[in-house]
Amino acid sequence: MKKRAVFFRALLVSGFAVGMAGADENAQLVIEGETLVTKAAAPAHLQDNLDEIYSGWVFRSNETQALQLDDFDNPAFVFIDAAMDQYQQVEGSADKSCQSCHEDVEEFKGLRTQMPRIVDGKVQTMEDQINKCRTEQMGAEAWKYTGSDMTAMSALIGFQSRGMAMNIKIDGEAKPFWEKGKEIYYTRHGQLDMACSNCHEDNYGNNIRADHLSQGQLNGFPTYRLKNAKLNAVHSRLFGCIRDVRAEPYKVGSDELKALELYVSSRANGLSVETPSVRN
Amino acid sequence: MAKGVKPRVKVPKKAAAGDVITIKALISHKMESGQRKGKDGNLIPRSIINRFTCAFNGENVIDVQLEPAISTNPYFQFEAIVPEAGEFQFAWHDDDGSVYETKKKIKMA
């Protein structure tokens, strides 16, 4: 029944609809015996616009979905392994590794569900937190915001929370940033004059050319993409989307993208963290 | 030794004698084909894994010769019959002469 609602909605918007083509729509994402939530009721702040939220996994083909079912088949784990070595690597003037302060990486269980969050009146993303540790605790050089070291470490930390529900705080201190992100989300950008919502809210489930549109949820990031065979950070993805509507993208690591990340992440509240996910 | 090389292997922890089991083996390796040119216009020298072997208690199970067009992080999946408890030994031979090895024990159920 719910499927029909989605279908009907898509029909209204574009005149023809593809629905959740490709994969079995009742497929379950079960990893190492744990079932992840890939469909959930929309969080309260979204209920005027969406009834249900879907993980991007639901929209991928059977073959791509299968890659995420087994941690051995999931190519992202090559990078997670590398990040684990990095975790133990002593660096910087303080002669410390990540491990010197945070003994076991499992200590980060649950952190990913709250990121980005507000710290000292600013949006703090996972990348910010990692670089803060590196510069302030380790005396090491900050990593490039979407560099491969950074993204792998972010994936390693995010992976500890896999299976837990996204739970981004949007009230209190976060409110103004969240509102700013929301404004960006619904503002049309670029020569194609499109807002994020035009694809990811009005037309998810439809195809634009060969691309099967998802809801653009961030619960699986950093995500391994088959198209570039590496882990991709949230900001690389947001940057790519804005570029693709032929707008001048905000800079990676900018306040605008962080606000947008906060808002878009909050749209996934209720879905399981899937880090590291596999997408095409 | 090439940078960032790390083998990963998945073998069931136990099996019954005579069982056919599935083995998965992956090594992270850049598999530079030797056909690409770098920024300076010169060829980047070839650096690949050229041979992969798996043995069970010293007896050969599979022996593969790899060629330059194989992608980054080569992944093998194959089946083997387990006659008894023992140990699978895996070895990847790099062009530069290094051999990356790993082992997995299997018990009888």
Side-chain angles (χ1 to χ4, degrees):
Chain A
M1 206 59 214
K2 280 165 189 162
K3 150 87 188 202
R4 184 162 299 160
V6 172
F7 198 83
F8 184 59
R9 185 192 172 87
L11 209 81
L12 276 176
V13 171
S14 69
F16 74 100
V18 187
M20 306 263 178
D24 170 14
E25 67 165 285
N26 292 317
Q28 294 251 312
L29 177 52
V30 183
I31 308 175
E32 311 280 308
E34 188 183 9
T35 307
L36 274 64
V37 179
T38 52
K39 295 174 192 177
H45 69 82
L46 253 187
Q47 271 172 358
D48 289 345
N49 300 328
L50 290 175
D51 295 329
E52 265 199 311
I53 48 173
Y54 303 96
S55 157
W57 182 83
V58 175
F59 297 86
R60 302 280 66 92
S61 69
N62 289 337
E63 295 81 356
T64 310
Q65 287 188 345
L67 284 171
Q68 210 184 311
L69 297 180
D70 183 312
D71 285 348
F72 195 88
D73 292 341
N74 185 339
F77 278 84
V78 171
F79 300 90
I80 299 242
D81 277 358
M84 199 60 224
D85 291 345
Q86 181 68 47
Y87 189 81
Q88 296 155 353
Q89 182 82 40
V90 174
E91 253 188 280
S93 55
D95 256 349
K96 278 185 185 171
S97 68
C98 306
Q99 207 170 26
S100 316
C101 297
H102 313 277
E103 263 182 39
D104 199 330
V105 68
E106 280 180 26
E107 161 178 330
F108 295 105
K109 193 170 166 63
L111 181 63
R112 171 69 175 83
T113 63
Q114 307 157 12
M115 291 298 229
R117 62 185 173 188
I118 309 298
V119 174
D120 299 335
K122 276 177 153 178
V123 182
Q124 189 195 51
T125 59
M126 190 70 88
E127 285 86 351
D128 290 334
Q129 176 65 61
I130 293 170
N131 263 346
K132 192 173 173 215
C133 273
R134 283 183 64 79
T135 52
E136 290 176 14
Q137 306 296 331
M138 294 166 69
E141 257 182 58
W143 274 331
K144 196 170 158 249
Y145 196 86
T146 53
S148 57
D149 285 336
M150 174 64 93
T151 311
M153 186 57 75
S154 161
L156 174 68
I157 295 170
F159 166 56
Q160 309 307 319
S161 312
R162 189 172 70 183
M164 299 172 75
M166 290 286 287
N167 185 21
I168 307 289
K169 273 191 80 161
I170 63 171
D171 48 1
E173 270 192 302
K175 190 79 177 166
F177 299 100
W178 184 82
E179 291 288 357
K180 184 179 171 197
K182 185 173 179 182
E183 193 188 323
I184 296 174
Y185 191 89
Y186 286 104
T187 304
R188 287 174 179 268
H189 284 77
Q191 288 182 316
L192 297 188
D193 203 25
M194 288 170 83
C196 309
S197 62
N198 292 144
C199 286
H200 298 295
E201 197 169 285
D202 304 338
N203 279 298
Y204 67 85
N206 289 343
N207 279 48
I208 33 171
R209 301 250 180 166
D211 285 335
H212 193 202
L213 288 169
S214 75
Q215 287 186 339
Q217 301 289 9
L218 294 179
N219 58 316
F221 276 82
T223 184
Y224 181 89
R225 295 193 69 191
L226 299 169
K227 81 165 202 176
N228 58 11
K230 66 183 183 75
L231 281 173
N232 292 260
V234 174
H235 283 209
S236 313
R237 178 72 259 200
L238 297 175
F239 184 97
C241 261
I242 302 172
R243 178 201 55 213
D244 291 349
V245 298
R246 300 191 188 167
E248 181 88 29
Y250 301 108
K251 293 229 159 23
V252 158
S254 65
D255 292 343
E256 287 88 352
L257 281 192
K258 284 179 191 172
L260 185 58
E261 177 181 352
L262 174 68
Y263 173 69
V264 180
S265 298
S266 78
R267 291 173 68 98
N269 278 355
L271 294 175
S272 297
V273 172
E274 281 177 37
T275 309
S277 63
V278 184
R279 304 286 187 258
N280 53 5
Chain B
M1 189 185 266
K3 226 185 109 213
V5 179
K6 199 166 193 185
R8 301 176 66 212
V9 172
K10 189 173 184 179
V11 176
K13 286 200 174 61
K14 47 186 167 181
D19 263 7
V20 178
I21 60 160
T22 301
I23 296 172
K24 297 172 175 180
L26 181 145
I27 189 160
S28 52
H29 194 281
K30 61 185 187 317
M31 296 292 276
E32 188 58 60
S33 70
Q35 319 249 15
R36 299 197 307 156
K37 284 174 181 163
K39 284 197 179 109
D40 55 3
N42 295 324
L43 280 182
I44 303 169
R46 175 182 131 157
S47 165
I48 65 167
I49 300 281
N50 56 40
R51 185 175 173 216
F52 165 67
T53 62
C54 169
F56 181 69
N57 290 344
E59 189 190 345
N60 184 256
V61 177
I62 193 170
D63 191 336
V64 186
Q65 187 185 337
L66 285 81
E67 300 293 347
I70 293 172
S71 71
T72 314
N73 307 338
Y75 168 50
F76 291 99
Q77 180 176 326
F78 53 94
E79 290 175 340
I81 296 173
V82 205
E84 63 207 15
E87 189 178 62
F88 282 98
Q89 298 111 3
F90 303 86
W92 290 261
H93 300 253
D94 197 309
D95 269 352
D96 63 14
S98 27
V99 179
Y100 314 104
E101 284 176 325
T102 186
K103 292 170 182 169
K104 278 278 155 140
K105 283 202 167 73
I106 186 164
K107 285 186 202 143
M108 283 297 102

